[in-house]
Amino acid sequence: MSRLIRMAARPLAFVGAGAIAALGQAPFGFWPLAFLAFAVAVAMWQKSPSPRHAAFRGWAFGLGHFLISLSWIVNPFLVDPLRTAWMIPFALLSMCGGLALLWGAAFFASKRLGVGPMGLVALWGLAELIRGYLFTGFPWALPAYIWLDTPIAHLAAWIGPYGLTVATLFAATQISRAVLSRSLVAGFSAIVTVALLFGIGTWAKVQPMPADLTVSVRVVQPNASQALKWDPRYIPIFFDRALEMSDPEGADLVIWPETAVAPILDAAGDDLRAIHERISPAQAVVGLRRVDGYRGYNSAVLLSPQGEVAQVYDKHHLVPFGEYIPFPRLLAALGFRTFTADGGYGFSAGDGPALMDFGALGKALPLICYEAIFPRDLRGTVRPDWLLHITNDAWFGTFSGPQQSLAQSRFRAIETGLPMVRAANTGISAVIDARGTVRQSLALGRAGAFTAPLPAPTQPTFYVRTKEMPSLLLIAILLLLTATGVWRRRDRETD
């Protein structure tokens, strides 16, 4: 028995180190612990006797990280627990274990190629960039997000979240090298690296901000629990609650969250008229569903001051297995017809990003729920004046999921230099300025509304102009320095 315990202790320690790294994510925000855990991961890699051992350690570290940071994914299965709760262990382990494979692959390849810790940083950063795009992407809980409430987060305006992830891992590697080598030079290098990150971030944070605009928005949070949201007995209760809170109080625009109006667009005439009568002469944006032929869309509708449907935006980046089933024809051929979008289930993707024109409020880029986690989904149009995020985070539970959703919205504001207004069904609704600061918000799980001035945008950030080029350049530089032996000589000193 004691032998079995000893055999299990080391793998569990690898998983535990990854779990500690996840404590840097919202709502915990323990970035010092997370940062040190990433340094421990680099040390684990350095002490791996073979590529196979390195791969396992990287995978185990990633598993622990994603198990904690993505624990909220069990909540959708608890909405109807008698039918779906049995899927929780399969969904959680397959999701987290699958994402961890990318980290394991980076650990394996860097050890197999003998590129040293800096090569590990480059390949690990590349793995995170790939995670943001592979199979439509899922860049949730990036290492960069541990810096949200520190000055370092503002480096995202220059190098984006993927570049900041590379910088984070690089700094963690300096800590690892300093500890393993017990070298004063390595220790000084580690201190300088972290100090530079904080110093540059502080400089970026204190740059002058433009004054708020002279227009305002009203954000409505009806707090419709997911278990009751589509219950016919509760639909009018939630609608009346949102309607009662929609008095614009001088606001120029009233915003309701994702799918806040229950009927599909063609059947929602009475509801839209009631909203117009309540808010006139303001405009409104409401989330609802619409049907076009045999296709359904998750949409945002702009109501003009005259109460007409002035514009419709259809969500284009859908949630796999949540809003649609991938490869429907293949699954249908295998007999899973009732789960396929082609069989009449699931949403269809819209045509792509599109701006909404609010007149005096400028043009906004609408984002529906999941779309706000992707930096690339904020591209594809001319630069907007602000970002509009409507979401239903009730699916994410009442703890880490909604907090992490808000954290990513704040990062999108920092990266673009654009303010964001987010209306969330159960919270957290907020107005966020172009520095990622929450100006006003509504607490999670509370029905309410607020009116706030619309913050002004800053000039386009370096990241907006260069996209992922800074990340790729950092990765290329690390690989080049490793290939030319600059870092290998230093790493041999550590070993």
Side-chain angles (χ1 to χ4, degrees), residues 239 243 261-263 267-276:
F239 178 83
L243 192 64
V261 173
D270 290 343
D271 286 355
L272 297 182
R273 277 190 291 274
I275 294 171
H276 168 64

Side-chain angles (χ1 to χ4, degrees), residues 1-277:
M1 178 63 71
S2 60
R3 183 181 179 185
L4 288 175
I5 293 174
R6 286 196 300 270
M7 290 176 61
R10 181 167 292 186
L12 288 176
F14 301 151
V15 174
I20 292 173
L23 296 181
Q25 303 288 329
F28 307 105
F30 299 143
W31 66 262
L33 280 178
F35 182 56
L36 291 176
F38 284 115
V40 168
V42 176
M44 286 163 38
W45 176 89
Q46 288 185 274
K47 296 302 182 182
S48 298
S50 70
R52 180 172 58 86
H53 284 85
F56 175 76
R57 293 179 182 189
W59 177 83
F61 183 85
L63 178 65
H65 178 267
F66 291 118
L67 280 174
I68 298 301
S69 56
L70 302 183
S71 59
W72 53 266
I73 68 172
V74 307
N75 288 284
F77 300 96
L78 296 176
V79 173
D80 188 1
L82 295 179
R83 293 180 55 196
T84 57
W86 65 271
M87 300 180 187
I88 288 175
F90 303 101
L92 184 62
L93 290 174
S94 61
M95 179 75 168
C96 298
L99 293 174
L101 287 174
L102 287 168
W103 291 19
F107 276 54
F108 174 85
S110 51
K111 181 63 76 170
R112 181 71 179 84
L113 296 172
V115 293
M118 290 304 116
L120 168 65
V121 170
L123 294 177
W124 197 349
L126 182 61
E128 286 296 83
L129 186 57
I130 291 172
R131 181 160 72 91
Y133 288 83
L134 187 65
F135 303 128
T136 79
F138 190 67
W140 199 286
L142 291 172
Y145 294 157
I146 69 173
W147 305 115
L148 177 61
D149 289 315
T150 75
I152 293 178
H154 296 274
L155 292 175
W158 293 85
I159 57 178
Y162 301 111
L164 185 52
T165 289
V166 174
T168 301
L169 299 176
F170 177 85
T173 301
Q174 300 307 300
I175 299 293
S176 175
R177 288 183 64 254
V179 172
L180 292 179
S181 68
R182 299 180 182 178
S183 163
L184 290 177
V185 174
F188 180 75
S189 175
I191 293 171
V192 168
T193 299
V194 176
L196 278 174
L197 291 177
F198 270 96
I200 298 172
T202 300
W203 172 82
K205 180 180 180 180
V206 300
Q207 294 306 299
M209 284 277 288
D212 290 348
L213 303 177
T214 57
V215 292
S216 59
V217 295
R218 184 162 181 83
V219 179
V220 176
Q221 182 172 296
N223 195 36
S225 69
Q226 195 59 42
L228 301 175
K229 180 176 173 62
W230 301 110
D231 188 322
R233 297 170 298 176
Y234 284 86
I235 286 174
I237 295 175
F238 295 138
F239 178 83
D240 290 343
R241 179 188 297 172
L243 192 64
E244 183 180 350
M245 297 185 295
S246 293
D247 189 326
E249 297 183 357
D252 303 275
L253 174 67
V254 178
I255 305 170
W256 284 27
E258 178 186 15
T259 60
V261 173
I264 63 172
L265 178 57
D266 288 345
D270 290 343
D271 286 355
L272 297 182
R273 277 190 291 274
I275 294 171
H276 168 64
E277 291 171 2

Side-chain angles (χ1 to χ4, degrees), residues 26-27 69-80 88 140 221 223-227 369 391-406 422 424-429 442-446:
S69 56
L70 302 183
S71 59
W72 53 266
I73 68 172
V74 307
N75 288 284
F77 300 96
L78 296 176
V79 173
D80 188 1
I88 288 175
W140 199 286
Q221 182 172 296
N223 195 36
S225 69
Q226 195 59 42
C369 192
T391 184
N392 176 26
D393 289 355
W395 284 109
F396 298 165
T398 58
F399 184 54
S400 62
Q403 300 278 0
Q404 291 172 10
S405 179
L406 173 65
R422 69 188 318 259
N425 169 29
T426 56
I428 302 165
S429 300
L442 288 167
L444 186 63
R446 170 192 163 194

Side-chain angles (χ1 to χ4, degrees), residues 154 156-158 203-204 207-211 213 383-387 412-419 433-436 455-466:
H154 296 274
W158 293 85
W203 172 82
Q207 294 306 299
M209 284 277 288
L213 303 177
R383 189 174 193 247
D385 299 300
W386 54 287
L387 304 171
R412 299 297 85 81
I414 294 170
E415 294 156 13
T416 59
L418 295 173
D433 70 19
R435 291 280 190 266
T458 64
Q459 292 298 311
T461 64
F462 185 75
Y463 177 63
V464 164
R465 296 193 294 267
T466 58

